[in-house]
Amino acid sequence: MLFKKRAERLFMWVFFPLALLMPMFLEQNEYYVNKLTTIMILSIFVMSLDYLVGKCGLITLGHAMFYGLGGYLFVILAPEYEAVNFWVYTFYICAISAAIALVIGLLVLRTSGIYMIMITLAFAQMTFYYFSGSIDYGGTDGVFVYVKPETSIFGLSLFDLDNPTHFYYLCLLSLFNTLLFFKVLVRSQFGRVVDAIQVNPGRTTALGYNIFVYKLMSYVVASALGAYAGYLFTLQYGFVNPSMLSWTTSGTALVMLILGGIGSIYGAILGTITYEGLHYTLEHWTEHWMLFMGGLIILMVMVFKKGIAGFLEDLLEKRDGK
Amino acid sequence: ADPNPIKVGVMLPFSGVYGGLGDATRNGLKMALQEHAGELYGRQIEFIEMDTEAQPSRAPEIANSLLNKERADFIVGPVHSGVAMGMIKVLKDKNTIMIIPNAGIDAATGPLCAPNIFRTSFSSWQPSYPMGKIALEQGFKKVITMSWNYGFGKESLAAFEESFESGGGEIVKKILVPFPKTEFQSYLSEIGTIQPDAVFVFFAGGGAVKFVKDYDAMGLKSKIPLLGAGFLTEGTLEAQGVSAEGIQTTLHYADPLDNPENQRFRRDYQTNFGKPSDLYAVQGYDTGLMIASAVKALKGDISDQGALIKALETTEVISPRGAFTFSKAHNPIQNIYLRRVENGENQVIKLAASALEDPARGCKM
Amino acid sequence: MENNVILETEGLCKYWGGLKALDNLSLAFHDKQLHGIVGPNGAGKSTLLNMLCGHYKPTSGEIIYRGESISSIKPFEFARRGIGRSFQKTNIYTNATCLENCCVAVQRLMGGSFNFFRSRYSQKMLDDIATKALEKVGLAHRRDYIASQISYGEQRQLEIAMVLATSPALLLLDEPMAGMGHEESQLIINLLNTLKKEYCIVLVEHDMDAIFELSDQLTVMVDGQHLVTGSVDEVREDARVKEAYLGQGDEVY
Amino acid sequence: MDSTLFIVQLINGIQYGLVLFLIASGLTLVFGVMGILNLAHGSMYMVGAYLAWYFVQHTGSFALSAFISAVIALCIGVVVERTLIRQLYRRNHLDQVLLTIGMIFVFNALQSLLWGNDPLGVEVPEALAASIPLTGIIEYPVYRIFVAVFCIVVAAAMYYVINKTRLGMLIRAGESNREMVECLGVDISRLYTIVFAIGVMLAAVAGVVAAPISSIVPGMGEHILISCFVVVVIGGMGSIKGAFVGALLVGLVDTFASVLVPELSSMMIYVFMAFVLLLKPQGLFSS
Amino acid sequence: MSNLLDIKSIHSLYGDSHVLHGISFSLEAGQTLSLMGRNGMGKTTTLKSILGLVTPRSGSVFYKGEDITSLATWQRMKRDIAYVPEGRGMFHNLTVKEHLQVAARASTQGIKAWDFDRVLNTFPRLKERLSNLGTQLSGGEQQMLAIGRALVTNPELLILDEATEGLAPLIRKEIWEVIRIIKETGISTIIVDKNIQVLQSLCDRHVVLVKGQVVMDLSAQELQSNLAQVESHLGV
Ligand SMILES: Nc1ncnc2c1ncn2[C@@H]1O[C@H](COP(=O)(O)OP(=O)(O)OP(=O)(O)O)[C@@H](O)[C@H]1O
Ligand SMILES: Nc1ncnc2c1ncn2[C@@H]1O[C@H](COP(=O)(O)OP(=O)(O)OP(=O)(O)O)[C@@H](O)[C@H]1O
Ligand SMILES: [Mg+2]
Ligand SMILES: [Mg+2]
């Protein structure tokens, strides 16, 4: 079975049907559809980070680099005033990001622990400053995407990216696929080795695995999906800005991830919803939202020792136990 | 009268480095609309305030929420040019009015100009352009220019260079410091060795404080005059202390500006908010005036966007900075003053340019 | 005898800064024999094992496996050629079941480790081989226990099972009986007694009873250097060994 | 670049490096030596600068203000360790990330509530306000020389305490095995409270000392935070000597990059760090 | 009470798993006590409960007549207890020299029988490794260092958990000799070890644990007569 834990199954049965129906309730309000879309996109990003951090034990503070690259690659590759094909560019962007991740991974994965955190940060900061200072790509002011891609496959166009509801469903579908993909990946034979490496790299080497290759592949896969999320984010409003690449973006994703529950994959969605939800609520409630946000984050670290997902799992297990 | 309030979305930074600017702008805005509350044909004003955190990547989302969720009639913001880009992306040609109370990015009233986008502050070009002529008048031939390597800074330097070089001046070096770095020591040493006639800089906020203090501490101020776009000494004088004395800047406003509107404004602001007003408060105030006057002109009915835009375009804002009108690109046509810091205040020396209009390059409106 | 040597070292050296942890060691290990290595603490026994399995790179000297020098290959390739090892400190996947521990080992042989989609639970054959390895060390009844929940002795057994599951030709064991009770030790001794009929085993151990009982060949090292190699009886009676390692008389007061 | 300018830039680089070391010193202690990932370190730097400003306004004396600020920071450190950090020693490093990011939010909000968002400045104390001529028309402020000397003193003191005293050994031992330290009859939790508080105090003192030569603005801590981590990591975790050398190198790299490749200068310290870590994956002076 | 240590019906748990089921025994001053049992019977847990590294759910520990159950570990150790843990507890970032320096102290009575030099003379092997880090030692060297580190605190009660683990026979003898010497100076010792012959000749009391319970608590003479039964508990 793909979803072993009760909490996980419960989540799948609650979240996706709800998400599927959501736009019907929100029909009159485009904003909420957009907001939820952003949350889906962020969830994909955070989920790819969760795979790296939680499943592979590769903690990075440079994941935003790929998020940003997803956007900038589109701006760089696509002609400015011509609608390109969404699927083709999805492929381009994922492939190029994967290639970049391959090269960077070759360097970065030689280190581990805090050193790896810092060297991934270093690469992210380099790209951040590169785009911040670039003349061609708008520097700190960012660039616009004037024409959104069209989505036809063999002439059949399913989505209209300019329609927020369509875009919402595209992102929801992407999120669902990402979740499924990671779940399958974790359960796969590849996943077994990755698990082994995370728990005990020395032993895994001694069993004859070239652990570097597994780490590298994981890094590449997660980075490509991170870039895909960035690509979606760019398409949502048609705007790319270097702040997508900044370390605070990586840091925030990490916060969402830890909140949600590291290593649980679906926790990424919980974490993102919680963080964004809190942010939204507090911000509308008081100008000093930071105070409360900070306080709540601190509180949650103390209460949810294994993140929200872990908390749910314990809750349901305890009930089962009785 | 229409029982529905006029919704004014306020998209400003209330936290972080630009928090002070956002706060002052909002105060000015509210003050103006309060003062003119009686002339709005019974319409109430409802403010919806959103903290942009000066985060460009969040800008589209917030703008979108004001547009689609709150259905704001006016959206006022932002301070930061990157955020402006994100907002414009969402708001361009939509049925709400966007009024920029600070962000100077030339493109907003240049290539990206739109009927529903207005600006009550300035374009980056405006405050810096007149300084080129003044530098020449004061006999400076060789100048080093310096700013952060970002849009606002680069546009400011370009405007200065435009007028300075066309008058025969020479830019001996252009230093672009990566944003938001504030470690200036090495650049200052370089300036000290090159020894130009003067230095023209663009910095604002914390960077401006640091730069001015370092410039003085290195002993350069007394030997190489420091010129700048007005932001160098705006809202930073107290922190800069004596280091700022003697610095000359050009800007569309100065606190001690001698006109009745300004005197009244500064007095009222002080009593209302318990602290002195500043440039950003003025810009917010003028934004309020502009909204009020348009509502008044339309007798409270702002439902027709065409008419609203027309009313806004033709407004003459009687501002503390002196009256100004709007160019075709919706940017103020305004006076620029030459100021010098004396006793901790930006004293007005003279009018550097009167009714200066931004060239609005690239605007097809 | 020469013909069934499977692993040899030639002038093997390992220096840590100025310290010669291992100095010019030349040994030969024979197939289907248990080769004991003893020596005082810090003699370089663990260092030797660590080099034989590729964990450390030798400062100089050669490791020759089935006639081929393997001193410069990557650590993981040692295991691929059939050199399996257990560690001085128990080294298993503590959060997984015993079966899963062995499956990781078996999967390397069976392939499919780069398969992103195939479920790790889908291969019956893999499970069977892993179970067999567990059976070999007498752990079949612990198959579905989480490794951290079985006793220390059983963990050591599990580690040996994992090594066996990679079907090695050569087993390098570093103090497998350390910290183990009498009963568990006896279990391992019996196990090694059967295993040495099939594999070449290099055993480092301070438990003299065990090492004397098991060894076909016994090497004594002192301070990084080779002292003697020979049969158990030869070594036991060697005066130098008594002085440097065993001491006089029994360990009883 | 002629030789005088080169020398001036060399001095600038070293001076900047020393300031960086001072700011990173608390982090070296708390993160490098004790192994606590405190992202709120930058916030304490900011708090130090604001406190300095506030007390200079009220007492008029920089020295007095520095003293009061240090004491307050020490108390904050004790409270934070006792109430929050302590709960997390047994937990994942990442939980510390989350906790301290929460603290950043709180500190930022408090700063904005207490002192507003305008940039502030502290005057250089009277006694150190002079400048000495350096070359050509450039003068060098005495205060910066004072700061450099102060940094060196802090570095030397830290090096001595951490590496040569029993206290230092205990702190290091605690990072590797808390339980065992307690088994030596040492109250490790009190020790850690004190050391954490000293780390916090060092951050705040760095803020105080830097206040006269920097602008006091919201978010000033976050910018510096990353640089601090760069310094600690380049030097190698837990090594005071490493952090010191790392800081100087970063200072020099940044200064010369500003002159030689101005457009890329922000990137350069990261390029440098990546380079160092690729050559020495554990930093320059790791054990 | 003349007993140095009294342990009264201790129950300890790891999470939900109940490991110690009411352990009681006592140790007179100057005595040497062995704690025996198969793997996983709770020997280490008992020691940790005495030291406060594991908090017992119920029961109490008296040291020199004083109830120390609620004291923190360091407070207990301050009363001149020293511990050589299973697994050695090395500090990976301290050198051998620092390991000894950091631990060295006089006993509360001001006794300074063991110092840096005496430890090095006892374990000359360590002399050559003074600047190695704790984890850069061989297994046996680490064990020597752990014992040395305990001795330089000049304890009154020494607790050794498998302290001869991984040591060569010669060194093992050395250790037993050391323990005999310190026993003569009046230091009490609790030893966990698997070498029953040595324990037999060295210890005054023997406690046998089975599944977290004391099944036998014998004096030296009683052990002789019940040897077979003890051995069956230990699986010899
Ligand atoms: N990483 C290292 N750095 C420096 N010296 C080391 C390192 N690892 C081991 N040594 C030294 O090398 C020598 C040999 O160590 P090794 O672990 O091989 O001994 P051993 O024979 O296994 O001893 P034991 O029986 O005690 O386990 C020891 O003196 C040890 O101090
Ligand atoms: N940290 C822990 N968490 C959960 N269970 C534990 C933990 N440590 C020990 N146990 C369990 O408690 C029981 C007693 O363990 P303990 O270490 O006290 O035994 P021991 O008698 O010292 O054994 P050994 O001779 O192997 O050292 C064992 O069943 C063990 O599995
Ligand atoms: Mg060894
Ligand atoms: Mg034990």
Side-chain angles (χ1 to χ4, degrees), chain B residues 152-357:
Chain B
F152 196 175
K154 286 195 281 197
E155 287 173 1
S156 298
L157 296 196
F160 172 81
E161 284 158 15
E162 188 182 330
S163 61
F164 184 65
E165 283 180 333
S166 71
E170 185 196 347
I171 307 289
V172 283
K173 189 169 177 88
K174 177 170 172 175
I175 302 174
L176 291 175
V177 184
F179 179 74
K181 183 172 166 177
T182 54
E183 188 53 40
F184 298 123
Q185 210 68 7
S186 56
Y187 305 105
L188 294 175
S189 305
E190 232 184 332
I191 292 175
T193 13
I194 298 177
Q195 304 200 9
D197 298 338
V199 175
F200 175 86
V201 301
F202 172 89
F203 285 108
V209 174
K210 179 93 165 49
F211 181 84
V212 166
K213 288 173 90 175
D214 285 357
Y215 195 79
D216 184 30
M218 289 282 279
L220 293 175
K221 201 184 73 185
S222 53
K223 292 155 196 152
I224 307 172
L226 184 57
L227 313 174
F231 309 96
L232 188 64
T233 55
E234 237 5 91
T236 54
L237 279 175
E238 200 182 331
Q240 287 160 338
V242 287
S243 301
E245 290 294 305
I247 295 174
Q248 297 184 77
T249 58
T250 39
L251 196 66
H252 52 288
Y253 177 69
D255 288 326
L257 207 58
D258 192 19
N259 65 50
E261 283 79 25
N262 191 34
Q263 279 155 10
R264 196 189 50 73
F265 170 76
R266 294 182 70 190
R267 199 179 50 239
D268 290 355
Y269 191 93
Q270 176 77 42
T271 43
N272 275 341
F273 303 107
K275 57 183 170 191
S277 66
D278 60 11
L279 167 72
Y280 306 101
V282 171
Q283 292 176 161
Y285 183 74
D286 293 346
T287 307
L289 290 184
M290 183 180 170
I291 294 174
S293 90
V295 174
K296 185 177 164 194
L298 296 174
K299 303 200 165 39
D301 177 17
I302 55 168
S303 52
D304 177 354
Q305 200 190 16
L308 179 57
I309 290 173
K310 195 108 214 123
L312 289 166
E313 272 173 343
T314 51
T315 309
E316 184 186 21
V317 182
I318 312 295
S319 158
R321 69 179 99 158
F324 67 87
T325 55
F326 288 94
S327 70
K328 274 232 292 292
H330 294 176
N331 195 59
I333 301 173
Q334 57 191 342
N335 294 341
I336 304 293
Y337 307 95
L338 174 65
R339 308 124 23 111
R340 181 164 53 225
V341 180
E342 276 161 21
N343 303 322
E345 251 198 346
N346 284 303
Q347 297 297 345
V348 178
I349 308 291
K350 66 170 194 177
L351 196 60
S354 85
L356 185 67
E357 181 178 348

Side-chain angles (χ1 to χ4, degrees), chain A residues 31 34-35 145 237 280 287, chain B residues 26 61 64-65 69 89:
Chain A
Y31 166 73
N34 275 322
K35 176 82 199 172
V145 171
Y237 295 108
Y280 178 84
E287 194 173 307
Chain B
R26 172 179 54 183
E61 184 201 317
N64 185 9
S65 96
K69 185 174 133 239
K89 180 73 205 180

